[in-house]
Amino acid sequence: MTIPSIALNDGNHIPLLGLGTYKTPADTTAEVVGEAIRLGYRHIDTAALYGNEAGVGRAVRDSGLPRSEFFVTTKVWNTEQGAAKTAAAFEKSMDELGLDTVDLYLIHWPCPGNDLYVDTWRELERIRESGRARSIGVSNFAPEHLERLAQETSIKPVLNQIELHPALQQREIVDYCREHGIEIESWGPLGQGKYPLLEMPEITAAAAAHGKTPAQVVLRWHVQQRFIVFPKSTSPARLAENMDVFDFALSDAEMAAITALESGRRGGPDPREFNA
Ligand code: NAD
């Protein structure tokens, strides 16, 4: 099964679907990621916070496939913002991953109360110039945070990784990013299991109509809007299920019915207030 890729604003390409690893235990990460790679996943999303970069890197190195086939993302955690700390955090992530380069390095949260994200971004620019991160981007940034980067720094983020699922569609951020050539990644694409998304009639009806599962319908709703997704699972059956979303299309009416599920329901912290 081939997963399509899309072009980023710096000319690099990213597979539209990958594997999330938040809460994947460190001691089983290499095994889970190895299984995902055997199934055809080539894009893995991790973070220093997740404590499992070593397992991700090991699975990529042990796959027997060329490094160039993979797209690996990691992120600098909030307590490591500011140029010097971020430079050290990047070295630590690269040591953990055991790779020469990372495909995408992200600022995990803006933490506006700490006012360090501009300085942190300048360090990401230097890291990109060194060639060790092929692309750089942000996560959980609101338009005003992106606007400050645009005013005060040189390189535009390739993408913004934000909480996005049918109950929280973040249209203001999506519109800003689309206008400025910044791609969107949906974190928590299945709602993190925090509300009964997969039982909602709009989803189950589309699943029945297409002979697909509710999770596949929700993931299709994302990729059909060009939102990059990396659902998390540790089960081989679900890993296979979650990537199998490129052989059907939701109708305009099915897309609209799912889009109408917006309720402003946030599962994670509000990035405008989160400064941990
Ligand atoms: P998710 O929406 O991917 O949900 C994961 C949950 O859904 C798990 O409990 C899993 O058991 C269940 N699930 C997976 N496949 C399923 C299926 N086919 N059917 C039924 N249930 C299924 O939530 P997530 O893991 O939080 O988000 C995806 C990834 O996004 C993370 O793993 C991480 O890589 C990233 N993330 C980033 C941030 C950020 O701040 N940048 C925050 C959270 C997550």
Side-chain angles (χ1 to χ4, degrees), residues 112-141:
N114 302 343
D115 197 20
L116 287 169
Y117 65 87
V118 174
D119 200 30
T120 303
W121 183 253
R122 293 201 183 102
E123 186 56 33
L124 264 62
E125 291 182 325
R126 283 188 282 274
I127 291 169
R128 200 198 79 173
E129 274 151 22
S130 78
R132 294 179 72 207
R134 296 177 64 241
S135 295
I136 53 174
V138 296
S139 181
N140 300 300
F141 272 45

Side-chain angles (χ1 to χ4, degrees), residues 22-172:
Y22 179 45
K23 294 193 173 164
T24 302
D27 58 351
T28 55
T29 296
E31 193 185 322
V32 170
V33 176
E35 176 63 18
I37 292 170
R38 278 188 289 282
L39 288 165
Y41 285 79
R42 295 291 180 267
H43 167 187
I44 320 291
D45 183 88
T46 182
L49 176 77
Y50 306 166
N52 57 19
E53 290 167 306
V56 170
R58 191 166 345 119
V60 167
R61 291 195 313 274
D62 291 353
S63 68
L65 297 168
R67 170 68 183 90
S68 58
E69 285 215 7
F70 291 98
F71 194 100
V72 178
T73 301
T74 194
K75 316 182 187 90
V76 56
W77 184 241
N78 303 347
T79 52
E80 309 309 310
Q81 286 200 15
K85 279 182 159 185
T86 295
F90 180 73
E91 291 307 326
K92 179 150 192 306
S93 283
M94 296 311 285
D95 282 353
E96 291 287 321
L97 286 164
L99 301 173
D100 294 333
T101 58
V102 72
D103 298 279
L104 178 61
Y105 198 45
L106 302 180
I107 300 182
H108 208 142
W109 292 84
C111 303
N114 302 343
D115 197 20
L116 287 169
Y117 65 87
V118 174
D119 200 30
T120 303
W121 183 253
R122 293 201 183 102
E123 186 56 33
L124 264 62
E125 291 182 325
R126 283 188 282 274
I127 291 169
R128 200 198 79 173
E129 274 151 22
S130 78
R132 294 179 72 207
R134 296 177 64 241
S135 295
I136 53 174
V138 296
S139 181
N140 300 300
F141 272 45
E144 66 267 27
H145 310 134
L146 291 163
E147 201 47 45
R148 252 193 95 192
L149 293 189
Q151 299 300 324
E152 298 178 36
T153 70
S154 323
I155 301 178
K156 188 191 284 194
V158 293
L159 58 78
N160 188 12
Q161 180 180 127
I162 56 174
E163 181 182 352
L164 200 158
H165 42 83
L168 185 79
Q169 295 174 39
Q170 310 252 43
R171 294 218 181 86
E172 178 204 8

